[in-house]
Structures are given as C-alpha cells and as structure tokens.
Amino acid sequence: MVVASEKVPVDMKVLMNHIYEYKKGVRQMVLFTFNKKYEEFAVQRLEHQHINYILQPVGNNRMNLYFGRRECLDAIRLIVTRPLSQLTPEEDFILGAMLGYDICAQCERYCERKGKCRKCE
C-alpha cells in the first residue's frame, strides 16, 4: 500500500485521472492495467468514491481494473471471461466501443482480425 507521505507513482496518477474523467462524465467505463502491488491503493480509491469495479489478473504481476457504470460492468462480466488476447473479433470490438475508443479504428481493427480488410485483400 502507498502511504500518504510517499510519492504517488505515475501509474496511480493515471488511475486518479481516469477516476476524475469518470466522475465528470467523460467516460462511462475505464480499463486500467497496473502492477498488482498497487491493488490495495486502487481498490481503496474506488471504494472510497463508491465506484463499481472488476479486477482481473493478467499475469506478469499485472491486473486489469475495469470500473464505471454498473450496466457496463455487467456486460464485461459476460464478455471478458478469458484473457483479452483470446477475445473473438466481435468481443474485442464490443469492448473497444464500450471503452469509447475511436469507432473507425475499432471497425478497422475488427476487419483486420476477421481477415476482411481492404489491406488484407
């Protein structure tokens, strides 16, 4: 756990910025990947602000932290049931759209993963 007198690591500053954006309505859901050693800090931050979240280990001492609207997290529980690299192109597309990624880039990524993009022909 990070003590108040310690310097806040860059990863946790990024998390705090994501929380700020979520609270301001800029994002409905966030995916944040971080070192497991900051898990307690991250969870305490979210719980203190009454923000719903899901934690998933990803290996290499890293964690995926999804947080945001309950409706979004309910969908994440149904879609992300294995490592992100193993998601189908459709699941990957839905996740990216839910996270607010550029929709045209998501469409291009989806077509590439399906092997049906103009570059692939």
Side-chain angles (χ1 to χ4, degrees):
M1 185 172 115
V2 178
V3 180
S5 63
E6 293 179 22
K7 183 178 175 186
V8 177
V10 172
D11 276 0
M12 294 303 98
K13 287 181 181 179
V14 171
L15 172 65
M16 291 185 283
N17 185 66
H18 285 318
I19 291 171
Y20 173 81
E21 290 179 351
Y22 170 72
K23 296 288 264 186
K24 290 294 184 183
V26 174
R27 302 169 180 262
Q28 300 301 307
M29 187 180 78
V30 174
L31 167 57
F32 177 65
T33 303
F34 65 100
N35 189 301
K36 185 173 176 31
K37 69 182 177 182
Y38 300 119
E39 179 178 353
E40 185 178 345
F41 177 89
V43 167
Q44 285 180 354
R45 276 285 175 169
L46 294 172
E47 289 180 351
H48 177 70
Q49 297 192 41
H50 308 287
I51 299 173
N52 298 308
Y53 65 91
I54 298 171
L55 271 171
Q56 292 181 328
V58 294
N60 294 332
N61 221 21
R62 312 274 301 157
M63 301 289 290
N64 275 345
L65 174 64
Y66 299 87
F67 66 90
R69 301 273 308 261
R70 184 174 309 278
E71 306 90 333
C72 296
L73 296 178
D74 288 345
I76 289 299
R77 285 184 186 92
L78 297 171
I79 295 168
V80 185
T81 58
R82 57 196 173 285
L84 296 180
S85 62
Q86 294 177 14
L87 295 181
T88 67
E90 291 78 11
E91 291 165 333
D92 180 80
F93 180 85
I94 292 167
L95 177 60
M98 289 174 66
L99 290 167
Y101 296 169
D102 178 273
I103 200 68
C104 291
Q106 283 303 111
C107 290
E108 185 175 307
R109 178 178 167 88
Y110 173 73
C111 291
E112 286 174 1
R113 291 193 69 202
K114 293 295 278 189
K116 308 256 186 211
C117 66
R118 292 183 188 187
K119 292 187 251 181
C120 300
E121 295 175 348

